[in-house]
Coordinates of all heavy atoms in Angstrom, one line a residue:
M1 N -2.6 5.4 -18.4 CA -1.8 5.3 -17.2 C -2.2 6.4 -16.2 O -2.4 7.6 -16.7 CB -0.3 5.3 -17.4 CG 0.5 5.3 -16.1 SD 2.3 5.2 -16.5 CE 2.6 6.6 -17.5
A2 N -2.3 6.2 -14.9 CA -2.7 7.2 -13.9 C -1.7 8.3 -13.9 O -0.5 8.0 -14.0 CB -2.9 6.5 -12.6
E3 N -2.1 9.5 -13.6 CA -1.2 10.6 -13.5 C -0.6 10.7 -12.2 O -1.2 10.4 -11.1 CB -2.1 11.9 -13.7 CG -2.6 12.1 -15.1 CD -1.5 12.3 -16.2 OE1 -0.6 13.1 -15.9 OE2 -1.5 11.5 -17.1
L4 N 0.7 11.2 -12.1 CA 1.4 11.4 -10.9 C 0.6 12.5 -10.0 O 0.2 13.5 -10.6 CB 2.8 11.9 -11.1 CG 3.8 10.8 -11.6 CD1 5.1 11.5 -11.9 CD2 4.0 9.7 -10.6
L5 N 0.5 12.2 -8.7 CA -0.1 13.2 -7.8 C 1.0 14.1 -7.3 O 2.1 13.8 -7.2 CB -0.8 12.4 -6.6 CG -1.9 11.5 -7.0 CD1 -2.3 10.7 -5.8 CD2 -3.1 12.2 -7.6
T6 N 0.5 15.3 -7.0 CA 1.4 16.3 -6.4 C 1.6 16.0 -4.9 O 0.9 15.2 -4.3 CB 0.9 17.7 -6.5 OG1 -0.3 17.8 -5.6 CG2 0.5 18.1 -7.9
D7 N 2.7 16.5 -4.3 CA 3.0 16.3 -2.9 C 1.8 16.7 -2.1 O 1.4 16.1 -1.1 CB 4.2 17.0 -2.5 CG 5.5 16.4 -3.1 OD1 5.4 15.3 -3.6 OD2 6.5 17.1 -3.1
D8 N 1.2 17.9 -2.4 CA 0.0 18.4 -1.6 C -1.1 17.4 -1.7 O -1.8 17.1 -0.7 CB -0.4 19.8 -2.1 CG 0.6 20.9 -1.7 OD1 1.4 20.6 -0.8 OD2 0.5 22.0 -2.2
Q9 N -1.4 16.9 -2.9 CA -2.5 16.0 -3.1 C -2.3 14.7 -2.3 O -3.2 14.2 -1.6 CB -2.7 15.6 -4.6 CG -3.2 16.7 -5.5 CD -3.2 16.3 -7.0 OE1 -2.2 15.8 -7.4 NE2 -4.2 16.7 -7.7
I10 N -1.0 14.2 -2.3 CA -0.7 13.0 -1.5 C -0.9 13.3 0.0 O -1.5 12.5 0.7 CB 0.7 12.6 -1.8 CG1 0.8 12.1 -3.3 CG2 1.1 11.4 -0.9 CD1 2.2 12.0 -3.8
D11 N -0.3 14.4 0.4 CA -0.4 14.8 1.9 C -1.9 14.9 2.3 O -2.3 14.4 3.4 CB 0.3 16.1 2.2 CG 1.8 16.0 2.0 OD1 2.3 14.8 2.0 OD2 2.5 17.0 1.9
L12 N -2.7 15.5 1.5 CA -4.2 15.6 1.8 C -4.8 14.2 1.9 O -5.6 14.0 2.8 CB -4.9 16.5 0.8 CG -4.7 18.0 1.0 CD1 -5.3 18.8 -0.2 CD2 -5.3 18.5 2.3
A13 N -4.5 13.4 0.9 CA -5.1 12.0 0.9 C -4.7 11.3 2.1 O -5.5 10.6 2.8 CB -4.6 11.3 -0.4
I14 N -3.4 11.4 2.6 CA -3.0 10.7 3.8 C -3.7 11.3 5.0 O -4.2 10.5 5.8 CB -1.5 10.8 3.9 CG1 -0.8 9.9 2.9 CG2 -1.0 10.4 5.3 CD1 0.7 10.0 2.9
R15 N -3.8 12.6 5.1 CA -4.4 13.2 6.2 C -5.9 12.8 6.3 O -6.4 12.5 7.4 CB -4.4 14.8 6.0 CG -4.9 15.6 7.2 CD -5.2 17.0 6.9 NE -6.3 17.1 6.0 CZ -6.7 18.3 5.4 NH1 -6.0 19.4 5.7 NH2 -7.8 18.3 4.7
D16 N -6.6 12.8 5.2 CA -8.0 12.5 5.2 C -8.4 11.1 5.1 O -9.5 10.7 5.6 CB -8.7 13.3 4.1 CG -8.5 14.8 4.2 OD1 -8.2 15.3 5.3 OD2 -8.7 15.5 3.2
H17 N -7.6 10.2 4.5 CA -8.1 8.9 4.3 C -7.1 7.8 4.6 O -7.5 6.6 4.8 CB -8.4 8.7 2.8 CG -9.4 9.7 2.2 ND1 -10.7 9.7 2.6 CD2 -9.2 10.7 1.4 CE1 -11.3 10.7 2.0 NE2 -10.4 11.4 1.2
L18 N -5.8 8.1 4.7 CA -4.8 7.1 4.9 C -3.8 7.4 6.1 O -2.6 7.5 5.9 CB -4.0 6.9 3.6 CG -4.8 6.4 2.4 CD1 -3.9 6.6 1.1 CD2 -5.1 4.9 2.5
P19 N -4.4 7.7 7.3 CA -3.5 8.2 8.4 C -2.5 7.2 8.8 O -1.5 7.6 9.5 CB -4.5 8.5 9.5 CG -5.7 7.7 9.2 CD -5.8 7.6 7.7
Q20 N -2.6 5.9 8.5 CA -1.6 4.9 9.0 C -0.4 4.8 8.0 O 0.4 4.0 8.2 CB -2.3 3.6 9.1 CG -3.3 3.6 10.3 CD -4.2 2.4 10.3 OE1 -5.0 2.2 9.4 NE2 -4.0 1.5 11.3
W21 N -0.5 5.6 6.9 CA 0.5 5.5 5.8 C 1.5 6.7 5.9 O 1.1 7.8 6.4 CB -0.1 5.4 4.5 CG -0.9 4.2 4.2 CD1 -2.1 3.9 4.7 CD2 -0.5 3.0 3.5 NE1 -2.5 2.6 4.4 CE2 -1.5 2.1 3.6 CE3 0.6 2.7 2.7 CZ2 -1.5 0.9 2.9 CZ3 0.7 1.5 2.1 CH2 -0.3 0.6 2.2
K22 N 2.7 6.5 5.3 CA 3.6 7.6 5.2 C 4.2 7.6 3.8 O 4.2 6.5 3.1 CB 4.7 7.5 6.3 CG 5.5 6.3 6.3 CD 6.5 6.2 7.5 CE 7.2 4.8 7.4 NZ 8.1 4.7 8.6
V23 N 4.9 8.6 3.4 CA 5.6 8.7 2.1 C 7.1 8.6 2.3 O 7.6 9.3 3.1 CB 5.2 10.0 1.4 CG1 6.0 10.0 0.0 CG2 3.7 10.1 1.1
V24 N 7.7 7.6 1.7 CA 9.1 7.4 1.8 C 9.6 7.2 0.3 O 9.2 6.2 -0.3 CB 9.5 6.2 2.6 CG1 11.1 6.1 2.7 CG2 9.0 6.4 4.0
D25 N 10.4 8.1 -0.2 CA 11.0 7.9 -1.5 C 10.0 7.6 -2.5 O 10.0 6.5 -3.2 CB 12.1 6.9 -1.5 CG 13.3 7.2 -0.6 OD1 13.5 8.4 -0.3 OD2 13.9 6.3 0.0
K26 N 8.9 8.4 -2.7 CA 7.9 8.3 -3.7 C 7.1 7.0 -3.6 O 6.5 6.5 -4.6 CB 8.5 8.4 -5.1 CG 9.2 9.7 -5.4 CD 9.6 9.8 -6.9 CE 10.3 11.1 -7.2 NZ 10.6 11.3 -8.6
E27 N 7.0 6.5 -2.4 CA 6.2 5.3 -2.1 C 5.3 5.5 -0.9 O 5.8 6.2 0.0 CB 7.1 4.0 -1.8 CG 8.0 3.6 -3.0 CD 8.8 2.4 -2.6 OE1 9.1 2.2 -1.4 OE2 9.0 1.5 -3.5
L28 N 4.1 5.0 -0.9 CA 3.3 4.9 0.3 C 3.7 3.7 1.1 O 3.9 2.6 0.5 CB 1.8 4.8 -0.1 CG 1.2 6.0 -0.8 CD1 -0.3 5.6 -1.2 CD2 1.2 7.2 0.1
V29 N 4.0 3.9 2.4 CA 4.5 2.8 3.2 C 3.6 2.6 4.4 O 3.2 3.6 5.1 CB 5.9 3.0 3.6 CG1 6.5 1.9 4.5 CG2 6.8 3.3 2.4
R30 N 3.3 1.4 4.7 CA 2.5 1.1 6.0 C 3.0 -0.3 6.5 O 3.1 -1.2 5.8 CB 1.0 1.0 5.7 CG 0.3 0.7 7.1 CD -1.2 0.4 7.0 NE -1.6 -0.1 8.3 CZ -2.8 -0.6 8.6 NH1 -3.8 -0.6 7.6 NH2 -3.1 -1.1 9.7
E31 N 3.2 -0.3 7.8 CA 3.5 -1.5 8.5 C 2.3 -2.1 9.2 O 1.5 -1.3 9.8 CB 4.6 -1.3 9.6 CG 6.0 -1.6 9.3 CD 6.9 -1.5 10.5 OE1 6.4 -1.5 11.6 OE2 8.1 -1.4 10.2
V32 N 2.1 -3.4 9.1 CA 1.0 -4.0 9.8 C 1.5 -5.1 10.7 O 2.4 -5.9 10.3 CB 0.0 -4.7 8.8 CG1 -1.1 -5.4 9.6 CG2 -0.6 -3.7 7.9
K33 N 1.2 -5.0 12.0 CA 1.6 -6.0 13.0 C 0.5 -7.1 13.1 O -0.6 -6.8 13.6 CB 1.8 -5.4 14.4 CG 2.9 -4.4 14.4 CD 4.3 -5.1 14.6 CE 5.4 -4.0 14.9 NZ 6.7 -4.6 14.8
A34 N 0.8 -8.3 12.6 CA -0.3 -9.3 12.6 C -0.2 -10.0 14.0 O 0.9 -10.1 14.6 CB 0.0 -10.4 11.5
P35 N -1.3 -10.6 14.5 CA -1.3 -11.3 15.8 C -0.4 -12.5 15.8 O 0.3 -12.8 16.8 CB -2.8 -11.8 15.9 CG -3.6 -10.9 15.0 CD -2.7 -10.6 13.9
A36 N -0.3 -13.2 14.6 CA 0.6 -14.4 14.5 C 1.1 -14.4 13.1 O 0.5 -13.8 12.2 CB -0.2 -15.6 14.9
F37 N 2.1 -15.2 12.9 CA 2.8 -15.3 11.5 C 1.7 -15.7 10.4 O 1.7 -15.0 9.4 CB 3.9 -16.4 11.6 CG 4.5 -16.6 10.2 CD1 5.3 -15.6 9.7 CD2 4.3 -17.8 9.5 CE1 5.9 -15.8 8.4 CE2 4.9 -18.0 8.3 CZ 5.7 -17.0 7.7
L38 N 0.9 -16.7 10.7 CA 0.0 -17.1 9.6 C -1.1 -16.1 9.4 O -1.7 -16.0 8.3 CB -0.6 -18.5 10.0 CG 0.4 -19.7 9.8 CD1 -0.2 -21.0 10.2 CD2 1.0 -19.7 8.4
D39 N -1.4 -15.3 10.4 CA -2.4 -14.2 10.1 C -1.8 -13.2 9.1 O -2.5 -12.7 8.2 CB -2.7 -13.5 11.4 CG -3.4 -14.3 12.5 OD1 -4.5 -14.9 12.1 OD2 -2.9 -14.5 13.5
G40 N -0.5 -13.0 9.3 CA 0.2 -12.1 8.3 C 0.2 -12.7 6.9 O 0.0 -11.9 6.0
I41 N 0.4 -13.9 6.9 CA 0.5 -14.6 5.6 C -0.9 -14.6 4.9 O -1.1 -14.3 3.7 CB 1.0 -16.0 5.7 CG1 2.4 -16.1 6.2 CG2 0.8 -16.8 4.4 CD1 3.4 -15.3 5.4
R42 N -2.0 -14.8 5.7 CA -3.3 -14.7 5.2 C -3.6 -13.3 4.7 O -4.2 -13.1 3.6 CB -4.3 -15.1 6.2 CG -4.5 -16.7 6.3 CD -5.6 -17.1 7.3 NE -5.2 -17.0 8.7 CZ -4.6 -18.0 9.3 NH1 -4.3 -19.1 8.7 NH2 -4.3 -17.8 10.6
L43 N -3.2 -12.3 5.4 CA -3.4 -10.9 5.0 C -2.6 -10.7 3.6 O -3.2 -10.1 2.7 CB -2.8 -9.9 6.0 CG -2.8 -8.4 5.6 CD1 -4.2 -7.9 5.2 CD2 -2.1 -7.6 6.7
V44 N -1.4 -11.2 3.5 CA -0.7 -11.0 2.3 C -1.4 -11.7 1.1 O -1.5 -11.2 0.0 CB 0.7 -11.6 2.4 CG1 1.4 -11.8 1.1 CG2 1.6 -10.8 3.4
A45 N -2.0 -12.9 1.4 CA -2.7 -13.6 0.3 C -4.0 -12.8 -0.1 O -4.3 -12.7 -1.3 CB -3.1 -15.0 0.8
T46 N -4.7 -12.2 0.9 CA -5.8 -11.4 0.6 C -5.5 -10.2 -0.3 O -6.1 -9.9 -1.3 CB -6.5 -10.9 1.9 OG1 -7.0 -12.1 2.6 CG2 -7.7 -10.0 1.6
V47 N -4.4 -9.5 0.1 CA -3.9 -8.4 -0.6 C -3.4 -8.8 -2.0 O -3.7 -8.0 -3.0 CB -2.8 -7.6 0.2 CG1 -2.1 -6.5 -0.7 CG2 -3.4 -7.0 1.4
A48 N -2.8 -9.9 -2.1 CA -2.4 -10.4 -3.4 C -3.5 -10.6 -4.4 O -3.4 -10.2 -5.6 CB -1.6 -11.7 -3.3
Q49 N -4.6 -11.1 -3.9 CA -5.8 -11.3 -4.7 C -6.4 -9.9 -5.2 O -6.7 -9.7 -6.3 CB -6.9 -12.0 -4.0 CG -6.6 -13.5 -3.6 CD -6.7 -14.4 -4.9 OE1 -7.2 -14.0 -5.9 NE2 -6.1 -15.5 -4.8
L50 N -6.4 -9.0 -4.2 CA -6.9 -7.6 -4.5 C -6.0 -7.0 -5.6 O -6.4 -6.4 -6.6 CB -6.8 -6.7 -3.3 CG -7.9 -6.9 -2.2 CD1 -7.5 -6.2 -1.0 CD2 -9.2 -6.3 -2.8
A51 N -4.7 -7.1 -5.4 CA -3.7 -6.5 -6.3 C -3.9 -7.1 -7.7 O -3.8 -6.4 -8.7 CB -2.3 -6.8 -5.8
E52 N -4.0 -8.4 -7.8 CA -4.2 -9.1 -9.1 C -5.5 -8.6 -9.7 O -5.5 -8.3 -11.0 CB -4.2 -10.6 -8.9 CG -3.9 -11.4 -10.1 CD -2.5 -11.1 -10.7 OE1 -1.7 -10.4 -10.1 OE2 -2.3 -11.6 -11.8
S53 N -6.5 -8.4 -9.0 CA -7.8 -8.0 -9.6 C -7.7 -6.5 -10.1 O -8.3 -6.2 -11.1 CB -8.9 -8.1 -8.5 OG -8.7 -7.1 -7.5
M54 N -6.8 -5.7 -9.5 CA -6.6 -4.3 -9.9 C -5.5 -4.2 -10.9 O -5.3 -3.1 -11.5 CB -6.2 -3.5 -8.7 CG -7.2 -3.2 -7.6 SD -6.4 -2.2 -6.3 CE -5.9 -0.7 -7.2
N55 N -4.7 -5.3 -11.1 CA -3.5 -5.2 -11.8 C -2.6 -4.1 -11.3 O -2.0 -3.3 -12.1 CB -3.7 -5.1 -13.3 CG -2.4 -5.2 -14.1 OD1 -1.5 -6.0 -13.7 ND2 -2.3 -4.5 -15.2
H56 N -2.5 -4.0 -10.0 CA -1.7 -3.0 -9.4 C -1.2 -3.6 -8.1 O -2.0 -4.0 -7.2 CB -2.5 -1.7 -9.0 CG -1.6 -0.5 -8.8 ND1 -1.0 0.1 -9.9 CD2 -1.3 0.2 -7.7 CE1 -0.3 1.1 -9.4 NE2 -0.5 1.2 -8.1
H57 N 0.1 -3.8 -8.0 CA 0.7 -4.6 -7.0 C 1.6 -3.9 -6.0 O 2.5 -3.1 -6.5 CB 1.5 -5.7 -7.7 CG 0.7 -6.5 -8.7 ND1 0.4 -6.0 -10.0 CD2 0.0 -7.7 -8.7 CE1 -0.3 -6.9 -10.7 NE2 -0.6 -7.9 -9.9
P58 N 1.5 -4.2 -4.8 CA 2.4 -3.6 -3.7 C 3.7 -4.4 -3.7 O 3.8 -5.6 -4.1 CB 1.6 -3.8 -2.4 CG 0.9 -5.1 -2.6 CD 0.5 -5.1 -4.1
D59 N 4.7 -3.8 -3.1 CA 5.9 -4.5 -2.7 C 5.6 -4.9 -1.2 O 5.2 -4.1 -0.5 CB 7.1 -3.6 -2.8 CG 7.4 -3.2 -4.3 OD1 7.0 -3.9 -5.2 OD2 8.0 -2.1 -4.5
I60 N 5.9 -6.1 -0.9 CA 5.6 -6.6 0.4 C 6.8 -7.2 1.1 O 7.5 -8.1 0.5 CB 4.5 -7.7 0.3 CG1 3.2 -7.2 -0.4 CG2 4.1 -8.2 1.7 CD1 2.2 -8.2 -0.7
D61 N 7.0 -6.8 2.3 CA 8.2 -7.3 3.1 C 7.6 -8.1 4.3 O 6.7 -7.5 5.0 CB 9.0 -6.1 3.6 CG 10.2 -6.6 4.4 OD1 10.1 -6.8 5.6 OD2 11.3 -6.8 3.8
I62 N 7.9 -9.3 4.5 CA 7.3 -10.1 5.5 C 8.5 -10.5 6.5 O 9.4 -11.1 6.1 CB 6.8 -11.5 5.0 CG1 5.7 -11.2 3.9 CG2 6.2 -12.3 6.1 CD1 5.2 -12.4 3.2
R63 N 8.3 -10.0 7.7 CA 9.3 -10.3 8.8 C 8.6 -10.8 10.0 O 8.1 -10.0 10.8 CB 10.2 -9.1 9.1 CG 11.0 -8.7 7.9 CD 11.8 -7.4 8.1 NE 12.4 -7.0 6.8 CZ 13.7 -6.6 6.7 NH1 14.5 -6.6 7.7 NH2 14.1 -6.3 5.5
Y64 N 8.4 -12.1 10.1 CA 7.6 -12.8 11.2 C 6.2 -12.2 11.2 O 5.5 -12.4 10.2 CB 8.4 -12.7 12.5 CG 7.7 -13.4 13.6 CD1 7.1 -14.7 13.4 CD2 7.6 -12.9 14.9 CE1 6.5 -15.4 14.5 CE2 7.0 -13.6 15.9 CZ 6.4 -14.8 15.7 OH 5.8 -15.5 16.7
T65 N 5.9 -11.4 12.2 CA 4.5 -10.9 12.3 C 4.4 -9.4 11.8 O 3.3 -8.8 11.9 CB 3.9 -11.0 13.7 OG1 4.8 -10.2 14.6 CG2 3.8 -12.4 14.1
T66 N 5.5 -8.9 11.3 CA 5.5 -7.5 10.7 C 5.5 -7.5 9.2 O 6.4 -8.0 8.6 CB 6.7 -6.7 11.2 OG1 6.7 -6.6 12.7 CG2 6.6 -5.3 10.7
I67 N 4.4 -7.1 8.7 CA 4.2 -7.0 7.2 C 4.3 -5.5 6.8 O 3.6 -4.7 7.3 CB 2.8 -7.5 6.8 CG1 2.5 -8.9 7.5 CG2 2.8 -7.7 5.2 CD1 3.4 -10.0 7.1
T68 N 5.2 -5.2 5.9 CA 5.4 -3.9 5.4 C 4.9 -3.8 3.9 O 5.5 -4.6 3.1 CB 6.8 -3.4 5.5 OG1 7.2 -3.5 6.9 CG2 7.0 -1.9 5.1
F69 N 4.0 -2.9 3.7 CA 3.5 -2.7 2.3 C 4.1 -1.4 1.8 O 4.0 -0.4 2.5 CB 2.0 -2.6 2.3 CG 1.3 -3.9 2.7 CD1 0.8 -4.1 4.0 CD2 1.1 -5.0 1.8 CE1 0.2 -5.2 4.4 CE2 0.5 -6.1 2.2 CZ 0.0 -6.3 3.5
R70 N 4.6 -1.5 0.6 CA 5.1 -0.3 -0.1 C 4.3 -0.2 -1.5 O 4.3 -1.2 -2.2 CB 6.6 -0.4 -0.4 CG 7.4 -0.3 0.9 CD 8.9 -0.3 0.6 NE 9.7 0.0 1.8 CZ 9.9 -1.0 2.8 NH1 9.5 -2.2 2.6 NH2 10.6 -0.7 3.9
V71 N 3.7 0.9 -1.7 CA 2.8 1.1 -2.9 C 3.2 2.3 -3.7 O 3.3 3.4 -3.1 CB 1.3 1.2 -2.4 CG1 0.4 1.4 -3.6 CG2 0.9 0.0 -1.6
T72 N 3.5 2.1 -4.9 CA 3.8 3.2 -5.8 C 3.5 2.7 -7.3 O 3.4 1.4 -7.5 CB 5.3 3.6 -5.7 OG1 5.6 4.8 -6.4 CG2 6.2 2.5 -6.3
T73 N 3.4 3.6 -8.2 CA 3.1 3.2 -9.6 C 4.4 3.2 -10.3 O 5.0 4.2 -10.7 CB 2.1 4.1 -10.2 OG1 0.9 4.2 -9.4 CG2 1.8 3.7 -11.7
H74 N 5.0 2.0 -10.5 CA 6.3 1.8 -11.1 C 6.3 2.4 -12.5 O 7.2 3.1 -12.9 CB 6.7 0.4 -11.1 CG 6.7 -0.3 -9.8 ND1 7.7 0.1 -8.8 CD2 5.9 -1.2 -9.2 CE1 7.4 -0.6 -7.7 NE2 6.4 -1.4 -7.9
D75 N 5.2 2.2 -13.3 CA 5.2 2.7 -14.6 C 5.2 4.2 -14.7 O 5.7 4.8 -15.7 CB 3.9 2.2 -15.3 CG 3.8 0.7 -15.5 OD1 4.9 0.1 -15.4 OD2 2.7 0.2 -15.7
A76 N 4.8 4.9 -13.6 CA 4.7 6.4 -13.6 C 5.9 7.0 -12.9 O 6.1 8.2 -12.9 CB 3.4 6.9 -13.0
G77 N 6.6 6.1 -12.1 CA 7.7 6.6 -11.3 C 7.3 7.4 -10.1 O 8.1 8.3 -9.6
G78 N 6.1 7.1 -9.6 CA 5.7 7.8 -8.4 C 4.3 7.4 -7.9 O 3.8 6.4 -8.4
I79 N 3.7 8.2 -7.1 CA 2.4 7.9 -6.5 C 1.3 8.4 -7.3 O 1.3 9.6 -7.7 CB 2.3 8.4 -5.1 CG1 3.4 7.8 -4.2 CG2 0.9 8.2 -4.4 CD1 3.6 8.4 -2.8
T80 N 0.3 7.6 -7.7 CA -0.9 8.0 -8.4 C -2.1 7.5 -7.7 O -2.1 6.9 -6.6 CB -0.9 7.2 -9.8 OG1 -1.1 5.8 -9.6 CG2 0.4 7.4 -10.5
D81 N -3.3 7.9 -8.3 CA -4.6 7.5 -7.6 C -4.6 6.0 -7.5 O -5.2 5.5 -6.5 CB -5.7 7.9 -8.5 CG -6.2 9.3 -8.2 OD1 -6.1 9.7 -7.0 OD2 -6.8 10.0 -9.0
D82 N -4.1 5.2 -8.4 CA -4.1 3.7 -8.2 C -3.5 3.3 -6.9 O -3.9 2.4 -6.3 CB -3.3 3.1 -9.4 CG -4.0 3.2 -10.7 OD1 -5.2 3.6 -10.7 OD2 -3.4 3.1 -11.7
D83 N -2.5 4.0 -6.5 CA -1.8 3.7 -5.2 C -2.7 4.0 -4.0 O -2.8 3.3 -3.0 CB -0.5 4.4 -5.1 CG 0.4 4.1 -6.3 OD1 0.7 2.9 -6.5 OD2 0.9 5.0 -7.0
L84 N -3.4 5.1 -4.1 CA -4.3 5.5 -3.0 C -5.4 4.5 -2.9 O -5.8 4.1 -1.8 CB -5.0 6.9 -3.3 CG -4.0 8.1 -3.5 CD1 -4.8 9.3 -3.7 CD2 -3.1 8.2 -2.3
V85 N -5.9 4.0 -4.0 CA -7.0 3.0 -4.0 C -6.5 1.7 -3.4 O -7.1 1.1 -2.5 CB -7.5 2.7 -5.4 CG1 -8.5 1.5 -5.5 CG2 -8.2 4.0 -5.9
L86 N -5.3 1.3 -3.9 CA -4.7 0.0 -3.3 C -4.5 0.1 -1.8 O -4.7 -0.8 -1.0 CB -3.5 -0.4 -4.1 CG -2.7 -1.6 -3.6 CD1 -3.6 -2.8 -3.6 CD2 -1.5 -1.9 -4.5
A87 N -4.0 1.3 -1.4 CA -3.7 1.5 0.0 C -5.0 1.4 0.8 O -5.0 0.8 1.9 CB -3.0 2.8 0.2
R88 N -6.0 1.9 0.3 CA -7.3 1.8 1.0 C -7.8 0.4 1.2 O -8.3 -0.1 2.2 CB -8.4 2.7 0.3 CG -8.3 4.2 0.4 CD -8.5 4.7 1.9 NE -9.9 4.4 2.3 CZ -10.9 5.3 2.2 NH1 -10.7 6.5 1.6 NH2 -12.1 5.0 2.6
H89 N -7.6 -0.4 0.0 CA -8.0 -1.8 0.1 C -7.1 -2.5 1.1 O -7.6 -3.4 1.8 CB -7.8 -2.4 -1.3 CG -8.9 -2.1 -2.3 ND1 -10.2 -2.1 -2.0 CD2 -8.8 -1.7 -3.6 CE1 -10.9 -1.7 -3.1 NE2 -10.1 -1.5 -4.0
I90 N -5.8 -2.2 1.2 CA -5.0 -2.8 2.2 C -5.4 -2.5 3.6 O -5.5 -3.4 4.4 CB -3.5 -2.4 2.0 CG1 -3.0 -3.0 0.6 CG2 -2.6 -2.8 3.2 CD1 -1.6 -2.5 0.2
D91 N -5.8 -1.3 3.8 CA -6.3 -0.9 5.2 C -7.6 -1.7 5.5 O -7.7 -2.2 6.6 CB -6.7 0.6 5.2 CG -5.4 1.5 5.4 OD1 -4.3 0.9 5.6 OD2 -5.6 2.7 5.2
T92 N -8.5 -1.9 4.5 CA -9.7 -2.7 4.7 C -9.3 -4.1 5.1 O -9.9 -4.7 6.0 CB -10.6 -2.6 3.5 OG1 -10.9 -1.2 3.2 CG2 -11.9 -3.4 3.7
A93 N -8.4 -4.7 4.3 CA -8.0 -6.1 4.5 C -7.3 -6.3 5.9 O -7.5 -7.3 6.5 CB -7.1 -6.5 3.4
A94 N -6.6 -5.2 6.3 CA -5.8 -5.3 7.6 C -6.8 -5.1 8.8 O -6.4 -5.5 9.9 CB -4.7 -4.3 7.6
G95 N -7.9 -4.5 8.5 CA -8.9 -4.4 9.6 C -8.5 -3.2 10.5 O -7.5 -2.6 10.4
Ligands
H2B101 C1 2.1 -5.0 -17.5 C2 1.4 -4.7 -16.2 O1 0.1 -4.3 -16.5 C3 2.1 -3.6 -15.5 O2 3.5 -4.0 -15.3 C4 1.5 -3.3 -14.1 C5 1.5 -4.4 -13.1 N1 1.4 -4.0 -11.7 C6 1.8 -2.8 -11.3 N2 1.9 -2.4 -10.0 C7 2.4 -1.3 -9.6 N3 2.4 -1.0 -8.3 N4 2.8 -0.4 -10.5 C8 2.8 -0.6 -11.8 O3 3.2 0.3 -12.6 C9 2.2 -1.8 -12.3 N5 2.2 -2.1 -13.6

Protein backbone atom coordinates (compact mmCIF):
# COMPACT_ATOMS: atom_id res chain seq x y z
CA MET A 1 0.00 0.00 0.00
CA ALA A 2 1.24 3.53 -0.83
CA GLU A 3 2.66 5.55 2.06
CA LEU A 4 0.90 8.63 3.43
CA LEU A 5 2.45 11.89 2.18
CA THR A 6 3.38 14.69 4.55
CA ASP A 7 1.56 18.03 4.37
CA ASP A 8 4.71 19.62 2.90
CA GLN A 9 4.96 16.92 0.21
CA ILE A 10 1.32 17.44 -0.70
CA ASP A 11 1.63 21.24 -0.77
CA LEU A 12 4.68 21.00 -3.06
CA ALA A 13 2.91 18.56 -5.38
CA ILE A 14 -0.09 20.90 -5.67
CA ARG A 15 2.16 23.93 -6.21
CA ASP A 16 4.22 22.24 -8.90
CA HIS A 17 1.83 19.84 -10.64
CA LEU A 18 -1.79 20.17 -9.43
CA PRO A 19 -2.56 23.91 -9.15
CA GLN A 20 -6.30 23.38 -9.76
CA TRP A 21 -6.60 21.12 -6.69
CA LYS A 22 -6.95 21.87 -2.99
CA VAL A 23 -6.75 19.79 0.18
CA VAL A 24 -9.91 19.45 2.26
CA ASP A 25 -10.04 17.00 5.16
CA LYS A 26 -7.25 14.71 3.88
CA GLU A 27 -8.68 14.67 0.35
CA LEU A 28 -7.56 16.27 -2.90
CA VAL A 29 -10.53 18.17 -4.30
CA ARG A 30 -11.13 19.68 -7.74
CA GLU A 31 -14.23 21.08 -9.40
CA VAL A 32 -14.63 20.82 -13.17
CA LYS A 33 -17.22 22.94 -15.01
CA ALA A 34 -18.32 20.99 -18.10
CA PRO A 35 -19.74 22.84 -21.14
CA ALA A 36 -22.90 20.73 -20.96
CA PHE A 37 -24.34 17.97 -18.78
CA LEU A 38 -23.40 15.12 -21.14
CA ASP A 39 -19.84 16.45 -21.46
CA GLY A 40 -19.57 16.07 -17.71
CA ILE A 41 -20.96 12.56 -17.86
CA ARG A 42 -18.47 11.64 -20.59
CA LEU A 43 -15.67 13.01 -18.40
CA VAL A 44 -16.92 10.90 -15.49
CA ALA A 45 -16.98 7.83 -17.73
CA THR A 46 -13.40 8.48 -18.89
CA VAL A 47 -12.20 8.95 -15.31
CA ALA A 48 -14.05 5.81 -14.26
CA GLN A 49 -12.12 3.79 -16.83
CA LEU A 50 -8.84 5.31 -15.64
CA ALA A 51 -9.73 4.61 -12.02
CA GLU A 52 -10.62 1.02 -12.76
CA SER A 53 -7.35 0.51 -14.63
CA MET A 54 -5.43 1.89 -11.63
CA ASN A 55 -7.69 0.21 -9.07
CA HIS A 56 -7.78 3.63 -7.42
CA HIS A 57 -11.13 5.40 -7.43
CA PRO A 58 -12.23 8.98 -6.84
CA ASP A 59 -15.38 10.07 -5.12
CA ILE A 60 -17.42 11.93 -7.72
CA ASP A 61 -20.20 14.45 -7.18
CA ILE A 62 -22.26 15.35 -10.26
CA ARG A 63 -24.43 18.50 -10.11
CA TYR A 64 -25.65 19.38 -13.63
CA THR A 65 -22.44 20.69 -15.29
CA THR A 66 -20.31 20.86 -12.12
CA ILE A 67 -18.32 17.71 -11.46
CA THR A 68 -16.42 17.54 -8.17
CA PHE A 69 -13.66 14.97 -7.77
CA ARG A 70 -12.40 13.99 -4.35
CA VAL A 71 -9.31 11.79 -4.23
CA THR A 72 -7.81 10.10 -1.20
CA THR A 73 -6.47 6.66 -0.33
CA HIS A 74 -9.17 5.17 1.85
CA ASP A 75 -7.01 2.18 2.81
CA ALA A 76 -4.29 4.54 4.14
CA GLY A 77 -6.60 7.16 5.64
CA GLY A 78 -5.13 10.03 3.72
CA ILE A 79 -3.31 11.27 0.62
CA THR A 80 -0.67 9.08 -1.05
CA ASP A 81 1.22 9.06 -4.36
CA ASP A 82 -1.65 7.07 -5.88
CA ASP A 83 -3.88 10.09 -5.33
CA LEU A 84 -1.39 12.43 -7.00
CA VAL A 85 -1.25 10.13 -10.03
CA LEU A 86 -5.03 9.85 -10.26
CA ALA A 87 -5.42 13.63 -9.90
CA ARG A 88 -3.00 14.17 -12.78
CA HIS A 89 -4.98 11.72 -14.91
CA ILE A 90 -8.19 13.59 -14.06
CA ASP A 91 -6.57 16.88 -15.12
CA THR A 92 -5.54 15.31 -18.42
CA ALA A 93 -9.04 13.94 -19.02
CA ALA A 94 -10.61 17.29 -18.11
CA GLY A 95 -8.39 19.10 -20.59
C1 LIG B 1 -9.93 -4.02 -2.73
C2 LIG B 1 -9.54 -2.81 -3.57
O1 LIG B 1 -8.29 -3.05 -4.19
C3 LIG B 1 -9.36 -1.59 -2.67
O2 LIG B 1 -10.58 -1.38 -1.96
C4 LIG B 1 -9.01 -0.31 -3.47
C5 LIG B 1 -10.08 0.10 -4.44
N1 LIG B 1 -9.97 1.51 -4.82
C6 LIG B 1 -9.48 2.42 -3.97
N2 LIG B 1 -9.60 3.74 -4.21
C7 LIG B 1 -9.17 4.66 -3.34
N3 LIG B 1 -9.30 5.97 -3.61
N4 LIG B 1 -8.63 4.29 -2.18
C8 LIG B 1 -8.45 3.02 -1.82
O3 LIG B 1 -7.94 2.73 -0.71
C9 LIG B 1 -8.87 2.00 -2.74
N5 LIG B 1 -8.73 0.71 -2.49
